[in-house]
Amino acid sequence: MVITTINIQLFQILRQKLGDKEAGALVGFVDAKLKDSNEQNLKVVATKEYLAYTKAEMIKWMFIFWIGTIGVLSGIMTLLLKAYIKH
């Protein structure tokens, strides 16, 4: 358990109502739950490195999509031009 001013104040308040042992256990429990919650939140937070990686991946896939689209449209245009020239 990390001892902070808030933990000490909480312990002092709870000690008057619950006693030393129970107050210490409750403060430790609350501290552990907050630490777990903070660790879970840090796993969700996007870092600058992750955002840069995501941006690079999006650009790569957009480029691949554009090349594919241009290839398909070029093929269709070629077929249409060949059909038009034959008539």
Side-chain angles (χ1 to χ4, degrees), residues 7-56:
N7 286 354
I8 293 170
Q9 290 173 346
L10 180 61
F11 177 77
Q12 294 297 331
I13 293 168
L14 291 174
R15 186 176 78 173
Q16 295 171 358
K17 299 283 184 182
L18 302 175
D20 286 345
K21 185 177 177 182
E22 291 81 6
L26 186 56
V27 170
F29 174 77
V30 170
D31 192 45
K33 287 296 180 183
L34 288 174
K35 184 178 177 184
D36 289 343
S37 177
N38 286 342
E39 288 174 2
Q40 291 296 325
N41 288 341
L42 286 176
K43 290 179 183 176
V44 175
V45 173
T47 62
K48 287 182 182 179
E49 293 83 16
Y50 177 74
L51 292 176
Y53 170 76
T54 304
K55 183 178 177 182

Side-chain angles (χ1 to χ4, degrees), residues 41-86:
N41 288 341
L42 286 176
K43 290 179 183 176
V44 175
V45 173
T47 62
K48 287 182 182 179
E49 293 83 16
Y50 177 74
L51 292 176
Y53 170 76
T54 304
K55 183 178 177 182
E57 285 293 307
M58 286 178 59
I59 291 171
K60 177 181 80 173
W61 285 107
M62 285 171 49
F63 182 74
I64 291 170
F65 173 76
W66 290 334
I67 295 298
T69 303
I70 290 170
V72 169
L73 289 177
S74 297
I76 292 171
M77 296 274 296
T78 303
L79 290 173
L80 289 174
L81 284 174
K82 284 183 181 180
Y84 181 73
I85 292 175
K86 286 184 181 181

